[in-house]
Amino acid sequence: MAHSKNRATDGKITYPPGVKEISDKISKEEMVRRLKMVVKTFMDMDQDSEEEKELYLNLALHLASDFFLKHPDKDVRLLVACCLADIFRIYAPEAPYTSPDKLKDIFMFITRQLKGLEDTKSAQFNRYFYLLENIAWVKSYNICFELEDSNEIFTQLYRTLFQVINNGHNQKVHMHMVDLMSSIVCEGDSVSQELLDTVLVNLVPAHKNLNKQAYDLAKALLKRTAQAIEPYITNFFNQVLMLGKTSVSDLSEHVFDLILELYNIDSHLLLSVLPQLEFKLKSNDNDERLQVVKLLAKMFGAKDSELASQNKPLWQCYLGRFNDIHVPVRLECVKFASHCLMNHPDLAKDLTEYLKVRSHDPEEAIRHDVIVSIVTASKKDLSLVNDHLLNFVRERTLDKRWRVRKETQDFVKKLAQVLEEDEKVRKQLETLVSPSCSCKQAEVCVKEITKKLGSPKQPSNPFLEMVKFLLERIAPVHIDTESISALIKQVNKSIEGTADDEDEGVPTEQAIRAGLELLKVLSFTHPVSFHSAETFESLLGCLKMDDEKVAEAALQIFKNTGSKLEESFPHIKSVLLTVLQHKAKKGPPRQAKYAIHCIHAMFSNRDTHFAQIFEPLHKSLDTDNMEQLITPLTTLGHLAMLAPEQFAAPLKSLVANFIVKDLLMNDRIPGKKTTKLWVPDDEVSPETLAKIQGLKLMVRWLLGVKNNQSKSGNSTLRMLTAILSSDGDLTEQGKMGKPDMSRLRLAAGCAILRLAQEPCYHEIITLEQYQLCALVINDECYQVRQAFAQKLHKGLCRLRLPLEYLAVFTLCAKDPVKERRAHARQCLVKNINLRREYLKQHAAVSEKLISLLPEYVVPYAIHLLVHDPDYVKVQDIEQLKDIKEALWFVLEILMAKNENNSHAFIRKMVENIKQTKDGQCPDDPKINEKLYTVCDVAMNIVISKSTTYSLESPKDPVLPARYFTQPDKNFSNTKNYLPPEMKSFFTPGKPKAANVLGAVNKPLSATGKLQTKLSRMETISNASSNSNPSSPGRSKGRLESADVDHSENEDILMKSPSETEKPSRGRKRGAAANQDDKGQESKPKRGRKKAANTSTDDAEDQWGEDSSMAEATMETEDEQNSPPKRGRRGRPPKSAASKDEMPSKGRRGRRKTAPPADEENEEEQEEEEDDEDDAGSENMEVKPKGRRGRKPRGEADTASDSVESTPQKRRGRPPKSQTAARKASGGRSRAAANQEEESEEEMGIAQQSEDEEDEAMDSSPKVRRKVGRRDRR
């Protein structure tokens, strides 16, 4: 080798035959050509070629120079990496490179090239695979064990491999990756925590769901290296669980999720960790014990788990938690029992004694769940439940709580015994519950069963009554395949014109629609009855009719009933698929939406069908013809929501380049110049409709993806708030008409509400964006306020929107239209009572009170009012009176009952807020002064309306950490910030019970069936959230009359605001009042108060638009020299609602029959209800109430200007002319107040028509936002 060293030191580079010198003096193409020949040479060499190794040693050193390692061309880098991999193979075990720094550079370089494995369709993929195969086979990275920076090299390698693995890779790629990584673990001296984290992070549920292939790779690696890696896993859990050193790893907060995953992968990985769990079960921390109990419940209860038999000390320690002092821990143990009984009958003996004790638990919810667990197991197999457990069920029939008794019917056992012993009864019951059972068969079966179970000697037979009740619920006594077929035939006759509809006084078109609406309702409840060729063929005929409503109904019926059509009726499937694809591409928008959902629900190879629709629509998008753009955008939006992963790359490009840059950032056609704020659907410009669909596409895409890893959620929120800040005119070029701007504001506001219902997006919504969204409910356009309030109400009733959005209704106290204020109040009533009832029935959620307890809406209401753009001068009496009215708007309902001393709880909460600072602007003295002033207003309301406020609060309230800073222990704020004049406006008196107005008099749905996301959407708090002024598990009482509201399915007709009713106290004041405004700082225009955060520059951060857009800036008005203002935020001018804003008299939307709620897939139902993409907003037309005509504008202005600063004592505000007469006495008579209250409560709530369960105000032409200062001329 002396000769070899001479060769290395003489610097002369020898190239393979036919290869000329490779340097920076040749072109890239020539360099690639020469490198390919070098690659071929090294590829053909083996370790025994001593002469060639000596010959090409200098070339090997040359290829590791910075010139190649930092070359800009990826093809050059790939070829060099392949050469280096072969060089390590050829010269093994000694590498020709001796410098540690050079070795690090080389391996980091090779790691970077491995990123090319991600694209399996790349022309160079085979070379990337060769590179991986080579270094895995040779174990090249083992050279790095001796380097100081080995951990950095290995960690980067692991991260790269976990990032690039995807479902396009075959088993060989997977195998080589495992080989490469396992050699580092098994042959190395140690595994650093950073390297371990790189593996374990792929087991965390959030990452696991995002990249299943990375999870499988980590799983295979852990199985392969179980013995070698186990000590390091044990050390990690020991540091976190036993020593409390959570800083050792970013995964510390996921330890329990990791334990479960590791146990499922290989239990040997946790041999030394399980004893630590036994220690944690005895922790003094309630939350910690609860987490461990939940974890072990999954580990013990898993079907194939042998943990209980393998680790008996841990099992016995777990059973001891059935007697835990903490209610949620006991409840979790009881819930676990049913899974354990079903999956491990051998453990029933161990559980029996503990369940017996818990069946007498003082908590109702626990007693209830004991019975539910036993009954659930017995339904699966009666032999799983021993006699002792059944006796617990019998005993609980005498429970003092009906909720427990109803689950403990002793007759269940008796009926099970009858079915086991009597084969005839069993067969009749099987016939009764079979999908093919007809009404005639059902009648015979019911008679035979009741005859068998009845006894003539027992006039009163409770057992038979119970069985009859069950049979009535399950037997098809009215609807079967035959009745559906008869109804279909009748509809067909109407279609063919052979029916007697006209003779009966029913137009044929109306008869067809009515028949299909009935069929649509039945398709929700009896889908199996539609399974006949005749029925499906008739529905196919309906799809081809010109009547859009008929086709829509047929599509929805197919979606509800066609789950087995593909296999049972293949001849219909082929024809239907063609029709669905055509409608998805070229049909009306609503039909396109239903067509996509049909394909998703009915066909197994939906990915192929979706691709056949997506590709041509994606390529044909063109902004030159806006009318032809609406349907494709609708279809693509629903595809983005249903199959986000399938079209991930093109969707990202579509949103960034087409939707944002081409569609939203350009105004092509100037809008019509009009003073109207709203126009009917047929007058909305196609460009506006297309933009609305574009916004919806972005939102649906995000809802489908359900993660914000690419920060697309932040960019979309900035875009939406930029629309709100610019009053709907995103480009601010002045080309858009006012009606178009209204619709875009509504679309943006509703879009934010949709995103806020998904936890991953709710947490990134900034406080400024939350405030802008809230202000949409004060939009100057009546229809925008109306639609936004309905959307807000629906999200809150589903417990999907976080509690802070309930505070938005507080701003409705300023609405000039009485119907809107009344409707907002009823929304508050229903949501508050809904949450209270939910807490009563779900004692287990007591630790999530900050996201459920209605009283916690107060901090959010205070925050909104502090940052209200209309609240400018801190000590201004008129503005403080508005604040007082807004707070009383919500406090009146909260304080109607003082259950468990909730008045003291609210008082304590306000006191606590006053000891903090504003979380948004903690260093702004003026904002903090506003905060303390609003707190004083709230405190005075509580003091004046309650006699028990001074009692001790049952718990210390928890404040949301985002909204308020941590209280300063050295700061005691006892100052009164209210001016003395305000004292007279806090009149004492008991809050009036919240009554429900007549038009919203439908009972609440069963709160026990609510499917809530709040467990994933809790507001981050700055203390333990176990603060509840009530005891949900023990609270008495059922829903009262105030707990009811209109059904989500009923037809609702919206009424217009009275044209004669004058707006309540506004910001504008008379001459005397205007003098008080001198020196008052200028007020920002509503919607522009945080322009820096909502500018279009921010909106373009993610999408990279080249087009520029004016930033939303603060607009101010000189209030010292300006005349009295003409309006206020959230309302029309004082002269009452203008004719431009209100639809013409007599216009009203078409009322539609809505089907009952569909209890299938909750996510799809949410989309069906909230995504009324293309529903005509004729439902938003408002019907003027029959009242006297309004005064001329000038006369109304004069009247209102003369009585500007009249004090307002209560929620129901009289017209200004009435309050002027009371001004001298500083108040009004009790009789007058009562009369006004009664008149308001007798008024019917304005209700909006809803088109079926899946149709809510989301229609493309329904959009508009805040009631604004724009009215101020």
Side-chain angles (χ1 to χ4, degrees):
M1 289 298 292
H3 185 58
S4 173
K5 290 180 180 178
N6 292 337
R7 284 289 186 94
T9 57
D10 62 13
K12 183 178 180 182
I13 300 174
T14 303
Y15 292 92
V19 180
K20 296 181 180 180
E21 180 183 3
I22 303 176
S23 67
D24 58 354
K25 297 178 181 179
I26 60 176
S27 66
K28 187 204 84 171
E29 292 76 13
E30 180 62 21
M31 185 179 295
V32 169
R33 188 186 69 79
R34 296 180 187 182
L35 282 173
K36 285 182 179 178
M37 297 174 68
V38 176
V39 168
K40 180 69 169 58
T41 300
F42 282 125
M43 191 181 298
D44 294 339
M45 288 174 61
D46 56 41
Q47 289 179 313
D48 298 330
S49 307
E50 294 295 337
E51 185 177 346
E52 289 181 313
K53 288 164 63 176
E54 177 184 350
L55 182 65
Y56 295 127
L57 181 59
N58 283 334
L59 178 58
L61 297 174
H62 178 54
L63 289 172
S65 65
D66 287 350
F67 170 73
F68 291 107
L69 299 186
K70 298 180 180 180
H71 199 280
D73 186 73
K74 66 177 182 179
D75 291 335
V76 172
R77 294 197 304 272
L78 172 60
L79 292 169
V80 171
C82 291
C83 289
L84 292 172
D86 275 315
I87 289 170
F88 283 116
R89 173 181 60 82
I90 295 165
Y91 289 89
E94 298 295 332
Y97 315 107
T98 57
S99 167
D101 291 339
K102 178 56 67 176
L103 281 171
K104 177 184 176 183
D105 291 344
I106 291 173
F107 282 103
M108 295 297 279
F109 168 77
I110 293 176
T111 299
R112 290 194 295 272
Q113 308 321 305
L114 290 175
K115 293 181 180 179
L117 288 166
E118 187 170 16
D119 186 2
T120 57
K121 297 180 181 179
S122 168
Q124 299 292 339
F125 179 75
N126 287 338
R127 285 199 187 275
Y128 287 114
F129 176 75
Y130 174 77
L131 175 62
L132 172 67
E133 182 182 41
N134 201 342
I135 59 178
W137 182 70
V138 180
K139 300 181 181 178
S140 304
Y141 277 79
N142 289 14
I143 298 173
C144 301
F145 286 144
E146 304 301 325
L147 301 181
E148 290 184 3
D149 297 328
S150 61
N151 181 60
E152 180 183 352
I153 296 171
F154 296 149
T155 302
Q156 188 57 44
L157 172 66
Y158 275 43
R159 284 176 181 162
T160 299
L161 295 180
F162 282 121
Q163 286 171 3
V164 301
I165 188 72
N166 58 64
N167 55 12
H169 292 143
N170 58 26
Q171 191 60 33
K172 287 185 177 180
V173 175
H174 189 274
M175 178 187 67
H176 288 318
M177 288 183 176
V178 175
D179 290 343
L180 178 58
M181 292 192 288
S182 61
S183 67
I184 294 172
V185 173
C186 295
E187 299 180 27
D189 295 333
S190 64
V191 176
S192 69
Q193 185 61 50
E194 185 180 9
L195 187 62
L196 183 63
D197 284 354
T198 308
V199 179
L200 296 182
V201 71
N202 298 285
L203 308 183
V204 175
H207 290 265
K208 175 182 175 181
N209 297 332
L210 275 177
N211 193 340
K212 181 65 166 58
Q213 288 70 37
Y215 170 79
D216 292 337
L217 182 62
K219 181 178 177 181
L221 175 63
L222 289 166
K223 281 187 173 182
R224 176 85 65 89
T225 63
Q227 186 174 356
I229 206 171
E230 187 268 339
Y232 306 102
I233 291 177
T234 300
N235 180 63
F236 163 60
F237 286 118
N238 184 60
Q239 293 283 322
V240 177
L241 293 177
M242 304 302 291
L243 303 179
K245 296 181 179 180
T246 56
S247 60
V248 299
S249 168
D250 292 337
L251 298 179
S252 299
E253 60 186 68
H254 301 290
V255 285
F256 297 115
D257 291 329
L258 290 174
I259 290 174
L260 180 61
E261 289 293 343
L262 290 169
Y263 180 79
N264 292 333
I265 291 171
D266 190 338
S267 60
H268 293 92
L269 292 167
L270 299 175
L271 286 177
S272 302
V273 176
L274 294 179
Q276 298 176 13
L277 294 180
E278 184 177 343
F279 173 79
K280 283 296 178 183
L281 277 174
K282 301 174 182 178
S283 168
N284 291 328
D285 186 281
N286 290 341
D287 292 337
E288 196 168 55
R289 290 201 312 281
L290 180 60
Q291 283 184 297
V292 180
V293 165
K294 287 181 177 180
L295 167 66
L296 289 174
K298 296 174 183 176
M299 295 171 68
F300 284 125
K303 193 164 187 179
D304 301 322
S305 173
E306 297 180 357
L307 182 60
S309 59
Q310 293 174 348
N311 198 323
K312 290 187 177 180
L314 183 61
W315 170 243
Q316 291 299 323
C317 187
Y318 176 80
L319 290 176
R321 292 307 96 206
F322 274 81
N323 300 325
D324 196 284
I325 192 173
H326 193 41
V327 173
V329 173
R330 301 202 303 275
L331 193 62
E332 193 65 36
C333 290
V334 168
K335 288 181 177 178
F336 150 79
S338 62
H339 299 287
C340 192
L341 290 171
M342 289 186 286
N343 295 335
H344 303 283
D346 54 307
L347 298 177
K349 185 177 179 181
D350 292 343
L351 289 171
T352 300
E353 192 60 34
Y354 291 96
L355 288 176
K356 177 181 180 181
V357 176
R358 295 282 63 79
S359 68
H360 296 87
D361 196 285
E363 288 292 331
E364 172 193 345
I366 294 179
R367 300 197 305 275
H368 170 265
D369 278 9
V370 168
I371 305 308
V372 169
S373 295
I374 298 173
V375 172
T376 301
S378 64
K379 285 179 180 177
K380 181 179 180 182
D381 187 347
L382 194 60
S383 64
L384 297 175
V385 182
N386 57 41
D387 290 340
H388 293 292
L389 293 175
L390 289 175
N391 282 333
F392 301 161
V393 178
R394 180 183 59 78
E395 289 174 3
R396 287 302 95 208
T397 59
L398 304 177
D399 196 284
K400 62 181 180 180
R401 296 283 184 178
W402 174 83
R403 181 168 174 254
V404 179
R405 296 198 305 273
K406 75 181 181 67
E407 296 289 351
T408 61
Q409 297 296 333
D410 198 28
F411 303 134
V412 173
K413 178 181 177 181
K414 185 175 180 180
L415 178 60
Q417 290 173 340
V418 171
L419 294 175
E420 186 177 3
E421 297 168 0
D422 195 318
E423 183 178 0
K424 185 177 180 181
V425 173
R426 188 167 67 251
K427 287 185 176 179
Q428 287 170 335
L429 190 59
E430 289 174 352
T431 301
L432 196 61
V433 299
S434 69
S436 58
C437 181
S438 66
C439 294
K440 291 181 180 179
Q441 288 177 304
E443 184 180 0
V444 173
C445 290
V446 169
K447 285 182 179 179
E448 290 295 325
I449 294 174
T450 53
K451 182 178 179 181
K452 178 71 177 177
L453 300 180
S455 173
K457 296 180 181 180
Q458 284 184 293
S460 176
N461 188 339
F463 173 60
L464 181 60
E465 292 301 318
M466 184 273 291
V467 173
K468 282 183 177 180
F469 172 76
L470 293 177
L471 293 178
E472 289 172 359
R473 296 296 300 269
I474 64 174
V477 292
H478 294 298
I479 305 298
D480 58 6
T481 304
E482 186 179 346
S483 60
I484 293 295
S485 179
L487 183 55
I488 286 283
K489 288 178 182 178
Q490 186 63 37
V491 173
N492 281 338
K493 287 182 180 179
S494 297
I495 293 174
E496 295 166 0
T498 59
D500 300 330
D501 301 325
E502 300 289 350
D503 296 341
E504 298 178 6
V506 181
T508 301
E509 180 182 349
Q510 183 179 341
I512 296 172
R513 285 193 182 186
L516 282 169
E517 288 295 332
L518 176 58
L519 286 169
K520 186 168 66 176
V521 173
L522 295 175
S523 71
F524 281 98
T525 55
H526 300 77
V528 179
S529 300
F530 285 76
H531 286 192
S532 71
E534 182 182 18
T535 298
F536 286 135
E537 286 171 357
S538 298
L539 290 173
L540 266 177
C542 294
L543 287 181
K544 300 174 182 178
M545 292 185 63
D546 295 333
D547 191 316
E548 291 186 11
K549 293 298 178 183
V550 171
E552 287 173 19
L555 284 168
Q556 289 172 276
I557 294 171
F558 268 120
K559 171 184 168 293
N560 297 332
T561 63
S563 58
K564 296 183 179 179
L565 181 144
E566 188 174 24
E567 56 186 55
S568 303
F569 306 98
H571 62 290
I572 296 178
K573 172 241 178 182
S574 58
V575 179
L576 176 61
L577 180 59
T578 304
V579 175
L580 293 177
Q581 289 179 330
H582 174 76
K583 288 190 175 295
K585 294 175 183 177
K586 298 183 179 180
R590 287 170 57 74
Q591 292 186 30
K593 177 184 78 170
Y594 292 132
I596 292 298
H597 284 273
C598 276
I599 294 174
H600 184 261
M602 297 168 62
F603 298 110
S604 56
N605 55 339
R606 59 179 72 94
D607 289 354
T608 304
H609 303 319
F610 280 172
Q612 293 171 351
I613 296 171
F614 184 92
E615 294 301 331
L617 288 183
H618 182 212
K619 294 177 181 178
S620 64
L621 292 177
D622 185 5
T623 55
D624 290 339
N625 190 341
M626 290 293 180
E627 291 186 5
Q628 300 300 320
L629 195 58
I630 299 172
T631 292
L633 288 177
T634 302
T635 300
L636 292 174
H638 286 276
L639 286 174
M641 187 178 67
L642 296 175
E645 295 181 0
Q646 183 179 353
F647 307 110
L651 280 171
K652 182 72 178 290
S653 174
L654 170 66
V655 170
N657 297 320
F658 182 81
I659 300 298
V660 177
K661 286 186 179 180
D662 293 349
L663 184 60
L664 296 177
M665 298 300 299
N666 289 289
D667 295 332
R668 290 168 176 77
I669 305 173
K672 295 181 180 178
K673 298 299 180 182
T674 176
T675 57
K676 293 181 180 180
L677 297 176
W678 191 268
V679 294
D681 296 346
D682 53 8
E683 296 181 25
V684 180
S685 69
E687 182 176 4
T688 298
L689 298 180
K691 287 184 177 183
I692 293 170
Q693 285 304 327
L695 290 175
K696 291 184 178 182
L697 187 151
M698 295 168 67
V699 172
R700 289 179 184 130
W701 172 52
L702 292 176
L703 293 176
V705 173
K706 289 187 178 179
N707 72 74
N708 191 41
Q709 286 193 338
S710 64
K711 304 298 181 184
S712 298
N714 301 80
S715 304
T716 301
L717 284 167
R718 286 196 294 268
M719 173 67 71
L720 295 172
T721 49
I723 293 173
L724 295 179
S725 297
S726 58
D727 296 342
D729 186 3
L730 186 61
T731 64
E732 295 190 336
Q733 296 175 359
K735 291 184 178 181
M736 297 190 68
K738 288 187 177 181
D740 295 330
M741 293 165 63
S742 295
R743 290 181 182 265
L744 283 173
R745 292 197 303 274
L746 178 56
C750 292
I752 295 176
L753 291 183
R754 283 297 303 277
L755 292 176
Q757 296 178 43
E758 196 61 46
C760 65
Y761 302 124
H762 162 243
E763 63 188 20
I764 64 172
I765 295 177
T766 66
L767 297 183
E768 292 84 353
Q769 291 168 344
Y770 162 63
Q771 293 154 16
L772 271 175
C773 177
L775 294 178
V776 178
I777 209 163
N778 283 159
D779 196 277
E780 65 181 342
C781 178
Y782 176 87
Q783 288 84 352
V784 173
R785 305 200 300 276
Q786 182 186 48
F788 183 80
Q790 290 283 7
K791 179 76 71 175
L792 177 65
H793 178 58
K794 182 167 293 184
L796 289 166
C797 282
R798 290 179 170 278
L799 298 186
R800 293 295 188 90
L801 276 173
L803 186 63
E804 57 256 46
Y805 287 85
L806 183 60
V808 175
F809 282 117
T810 307
L811 302 179
C812 291
K814 306 179 181 184
D815 200 295
V817 181
K818 189 174 183 180
E819 283 84 348
R820 293 260 40 83
R821 296 197 304 274
H823 179 263
R825 187 174 188 273
Q826 296 314 308
C827 291
L828 280 168
V829 168
K830 177 172 181 178
N831 277 285
I832 288 171
N833 286 316
L834 183 92
R835 280 162 170 74
R836 284 175 174 166
E837 188 65 21
Y838 185 84
L839 285 171
K840 289 177 184 178
Q841 298 188 13
H842 296 79
V845 301
S846 60
E847 294 190 354
K848 303 180 178 65
L849 287 175
I850 196 169
S851 60
L852 282 170
L853 192 67
E855 281 75 11
Y856 275 120
V857 78
V858 174
Y860 302 118
I862 290 175
H863 172 83
L864 282 179
L865 293 173
V866 168
H867 292 274
D868 188 333
D870 281 354
Y871 184 25
V872 179
K873 190 174 181 180
V874 180
Q875 299 293 311
D876 182 79
I877 295 296
E878 288 299 310
Q879 294 178 23
L880 288 176
K881 283 157 62 178
D882 280 347
I883 297 290
K884 177 249 181 186
E885 291 295 325
L887 284 171
W888 180 234
F889 195 69
V890 64
L891 286 174
E892 180 182 21
I893 302 167
L894 289 173
M895 297 174 64
K897 296 179 181 178
N898 188 25
E899 293 183 358
N900 300 287
N901 201 15
S902 61
H903 291 185
F905 182 76
I906 295 173
R907 184 261 309 162
K908 180 66 173 175
M909 186 154 42
V910 177
E911 286 180 350
N912 287 358
I913 295 174
K914 198 172 175 183
Q915 305 307 315
T916 68
K917 294 182 180 180
D918 182 74
Q920 182 176 336
C921 308
D923 300 324
D924 187 330
K926 182 175 179 181
I927 291 293
N928 287 321
E929 185 183 359
K930 286 184 180 181
L931 174 63
Y932 305 144
T933 305
V934 174
C935 286
D936 280 345
V937 173
M939 184 66 71
N940 276 276
I941 292 176
V942 174
I943 292 173
S944 64
K945 300 297 182 182
S946 172
T947 57
T948 60
Y949 70 89
S950 58
L951 299 178
E952 184 178 353
S953 174
K955 291 286 180 73
D956 192 31
V958 180
L959 302 181
R962 288 182 67 198
Y963 293 78
F964 307 100
T965 64
Q966 287 280 359
D968 186 351
K969 295 181 180 179
N970 300 321
F971 175 66
S972 178
N973 190 359
T974 58
K975 176 182 175 181
N976 180 18
Y977 290 82
L978 291 180
E981 307 94 286
M982 276 298 295
K983 187 175 182 180
S984 61
F985 298 110
F986 297 104
T987 56
K990 187 177 179 181
K992 190 167 184 178
N995 292 314
V996 176
L997 307 188
V1000 265
N1001 194 22
K1002 291 280 183 176
L1004 278 174
S1005 57
T1007 54
K1009 295 184 179 180
L1010 284 170
Q1011 300 184 19
T1012 176
K1013 288 187 178 178
L1014 282 169
S1015 59
R1016 298 182 291 130
M1017 198 182 291
E1018 287 188 59
T1019 305
I1020 300 173
S1021 59
N1022 53 13
S1024 169
S1025 59
N1026 189 20
S1027 303
N1028 183 6
S1030 63
S1031 177
R1034 296 170 179 259
S1035 297
K1036 296 182 180 181
R1038 307 292 299 167
L1039 287 173
E1040 302 178 9
S1041 61
D1043 294 1
V1044 294
D1045 203 338
H1046 67 267
S1047 166
E1048 292 182 359
N1049 299 321
E1050 70 175 299
D1051 288 320
I1052 310 166
L1053 181 63
M1054 298 303 299
K1055 299 180 182 179
S1056 75
S1058 166
E1059 295 194 3
T1060 60
E1061 177 178 315
K1062 298 174 185 174
S1064 58
R1065 173 176 25 84
R1067 291 279 183 241
K1068 79 175 185 178
R1069 294 179 276 283
N1074 196 44
Q1075 285 297 109
D1076 296 336
D1077 284 346
K1078 300 221 175 190
Q1080 177 176 334
E1081 57 259 38
S1082 55
K1083 302 178 184 180
K1085 183 173 180 179
R1086 165 77 69 181
R1088 304 211 176 186
K1089 69 181 193 122
K1090 291 291 178 184
N1093 295 324
T1094 56
S1095 69
T1096 53
D1097 291 337
D1098 287 338
E1100 292 177 340
D1101 284 348
Q1102 179 74 14
W1103 312 123
E1105 296 96 338
D1106 294 328
S1107 57
S1108 63
M1109 187 172 65
E1111 290 189 4
T1113 57
M1114 301 288 285
E1115 291 189 5
T1116 60
E1117 299 174 5
D1118 185 356
E1119 295 196 0
Q1120 297 181 14
N1121 302 316
S1122 61
K1125 307 303 178 194
R1126 302 227 15 110
R1128 63 169 297 165
R1129 169 180 59 81
R1131 13 190 118 182
K1134 288 280 185 169
S1135 56
S1138 69
K1139 292 180 180 179
D1140 294 336
E1141 181 182 347
M1142 303 306 301
S1144 59
K1145 183 175 180 180
R1147 291 183 68 98
R1148 57 186 291 178
R1150 183 169 52 239
R1151 301 184 63 178
K1152 304 167 188 174
T1153 304
D1158 183 9
E1159 295 184 1
E1160 55 182 13
N1161 188 293
E1162 176 69 14
E1163 292 294 336
E1164 189 167 320
Q1165 180 184 11
E1166 177 75 7
E1167 165 63 19
E1168 289 287 324
E1169 290 191 351
D1170 287 342
D1171 264 353
E1172 259 345 77
D1173 321 287
D1174 313 297
S1177 65
E1178 66 264 18
N1179 292 335
M1180 290 302 303
E1181 299 293 332
V1182 286
K1183 176 184 176 184
K1185 294 180 68 175
R1187 300 184 182 178
R1188 65 185 183 274
R1190 65 182 180 184
K1191 297 179 182 180
R1193 179 179 292 269
E1195 185 178 345
D1197 285 347
T1198 304
S1200 60
D1201 283 346
S1202 64
V1203 287
E1204 276 308 315
S1205 55
T1206 304
Q1208 298 298 318
K1209 296 289 185 181
R1210 60 198 304 279
R1211 175 178 55 82
R1213 302 185 179 101
K1216 295 292 185 180
S1217 58
Q1218 297 176 12
T1219 58
R1222 305 187 188 112
K1223 184 174 182 181
S1225 61
R1228 58 181 175 181
S1229 69
R1230 182 179 297 273
N1234 291 339
Q1235 182 178 0
E1236 180 183 317
E1237 183 72 15
E1238 290 169 2
S1239 66
E1240 181 172 353
E1241 290 169 0
E1242 292 170 0
M1243 174 196 64
I1245 287 297
Q1247 301 183 2
Q1248 178 182 6
S1249 175
E1250 297 178 354
D1251 183 352
E1252 70 201 359
E1253 179 71 9
D1254 74 323
E1255 300 176 12
M1257 299 147 300
D1258 205 18
S1259 70
S1260 46
K1262 288 183 186 166
V1263 209
R1264 165 72 208 188
R1265 115 177 152 89
K1266 52 186 189 297
V1267 181
R1269 273 172 206 279
R1270 293 190 299 280
D1271 291 327
R1272 300 184 174 180
R1273 301 288 186 255

